[in-house]
Amino acid sequence: MEFKLKENSSIIQYIQVIIGASLVGFGYNMFLLPSKLAAGGLSGVSTILFEVYQLSPALTQFLINIPIFLIGWLTLGKDFSGKTLVGTFWVPFVIWLTTDLPFAITNPLLGALYGGILLGVGLGIVYKGNGSTGGTAAIAQIVKKFTGLSSGYSQLIVDSLVVITSLIVFNLELTLFALISIYISSKVIDIVQLRTSSAKLIMIITEEEKRMESLIRTGIDRGLTKVRSLGGYTNDNKTMILCVAERNEAVYLKKLLQQEDPGSFVIFLDASEIMGRGFSLDKYYGQKL
């Protein structure tokens, strides 16, 4: 029975990855490419190459994703699963499949708004299925591993290079619309995944104090605060663990908690104006970002 449940859960996750990746590919062909918006990521790279050399965006994304996936698989190992493989190559397949859409949005404002929303929904569904669409997200993971930078910093560096390049190829106006699309998609991803903003305050009430502490330290490499508490219903001694993490880290921790201790009482709250090491200060003493 347990094996069957895991198998059904895996099938659902693959379906989520395929649906999400399909929305990403469709949104790119309908909104971003016709509007000439290089909204970061590999889609932005393919938009720039299409504008300059008339290269097929589907072929461009497929070819660039091959070495990125191989490098990611070799350097990150188990983090690159079958769902990542499906998401990585399903997007260019959908882009190729929908190349000759009978309708497209060329207005950059509408492209930024609706393209950002559709991309955010698609990526959020992919991430909920524990998958990835490869591209610069994979590059950011590699940068994070070898530099020690946070996920946010790594993704920002990679996407910034794409946006700067688009400024050279396109005009400033289109680049600003692309930035709007990036912002919208990031917010929509939050809504789809956790229904909250990017920084998370995580409250865990558990009897497995050491186990939870190990999950947080080894799983997302974050600090924590432990508060002794008493169960109001059972009067049992418990521990309330407080932890602040970035969105991607919170999503990953959520998955770990569901796997390792589904009986824990966990709350995800919005966190803002965070001051301290790992946020307003370097994560480690002596680290230079």
Side-chain angles (χ1 to χ4, degrees):
M1 179 66 72
E2 184 178 350
F3 173 77
K4 199 167 185 179
L5 288 173
K6 287 184 178 179
E7 186 179 13
N8 290 338
S9 175
S10 180
I11 292 173
I12 291 172
Q13 288 179 341
Y14 272 100
I15 292 173
Q16 286 178 316
V17 170
I18 290 174
I19 291 174
S22 298
L23 292 176
V24 171
F26 180 76
Y28 172 80
N29 257 358
M30 183 175 179
F31 297 106
L32 299 182
L33 183 62
S35 303
K36 299 183 179 181
L37 300 180
L42 191 53
S43 64
V45 174
S46 60
T47 300
I48 293 170
L49 292 177
F50 177 77
E51 179 68 18
V52 177
Y53 301 109
Q54 294 299 304
L55 296 178
S56 165
L59 182 61
T60 299
Q61 294 193 32
F62 178 81
L63 293 177
I64 295 178
N65 264 324
I66 292 175
I68 291 176
F69 182 83
L70 291 175
I71 294 171
W73 181 67
L74 291 173
T75 56
L76 301 176
K78 63 180 181 179
D79 291 339
F80 267 64
S81 63
K83 291 186 285 292
T84 299
L85 177 64
V86 171
T88 297
F89 295 104
W90 190 264
V91 172
F93 171 71
V94 172
I95 292 175
W96 170 78
L97 204 62
T98 58
T99 298
D100 298 320
L101 283 174
F103 45 85
I105 303 300
T106 57
N107 183 294
L109 178 58
L110 294 177
L113 291 175
Y114 292 101
I117 292 172
L118 200 55
L119 248 66
V121 171
L123 290 173
I125 294 174
V126 169
Y127 296 155
K128 284 191 72 173
N130 295 322
S132 170
T133 56
T136 57
I139 296 175
Q141 286 181 270
I142 298 170
V143 170
K144 176 184 176 182
K145 178 173 182 178
F146 288 102
T147 64
L149 298 176
S150 67
S151 301
Y153 273 116
S154 302
Q155 191 68 52
L156 179 63
I157 290 171
V158 176
D159 281 341
S160 294
L161 293 175
V162 177
V163 173
I164 291 171
T165 305
S166 74
L167 183 59
I168 299 172
V169 176
F170 302 111
N171 56 48
L172 178 60
E173 184 176 294
L174 289 176
T175 301
L176 293 176
F177 279 121
L179 290 174
I180 292 174
S181 180
I182 292 173
Y183 178 79
I184 292 173
S185 63
S186 68
K187 293 302 178 183
V188 174
I189 288 172
D190 283 333
I191 294 172
V192 174
Q193 284 190 289
L194 291 176
R195 302 180 184 274
T196 52
S197 60
S198 56
K200 310 299 171 189
L201 169 61
I202 307 162
M203 300 173 62
I204 306 171
I205 300 174
T206 180
E207 296 177 353
E208 301 287 339
E209 176 184 335
K210 296 296 182 184
R211 192 177 181 186
M212 293 300 101
E213 183 175 352
S214 177
L215 279 180
I216 293 171
R217 292 193 187 281
T218 61
I220 62 174
D221 190 22
R222 284 290 178 186
L224 54 92
T225 299
K226 295 183 286 187
V227 181
R228 304 302 174 192
S229 58
L230 187 68
Y233 182 76
T234 62
N235 286 323
D236 292 337
N237 291 322
K238 297 178 182 290
T239 301
M240 181 168 65
I241 297 176
L242 303 178
C243 174
V244 179
E246 295 175 345
R247 171 179 50 83
N248 291 341
E249 295 168 340
V251 172
Y252 183 64
L253 181 61
K254 177 183 175 183
K255 182 178 72 172
L256 290 179
L257 292 171
Q258 288 173 333
Q259 292 174 349
E260 302 295 332
D261 191 9
S264 292
F265 189 80
V266 187
I267 305 172
F268 291 88
L269 301 173
D270 291 349
S272 59
E273 297 294 327
I274 304 169
M275 299 176 64
R277 196 156 297 281
F279 294 93
S280 61
L281 301 175
D282 294 341
K283 189 170 185 179
Y284 305 108
Y285 290 94
Q287 180 192 27
K288 300 298 181 183
L289 296 179

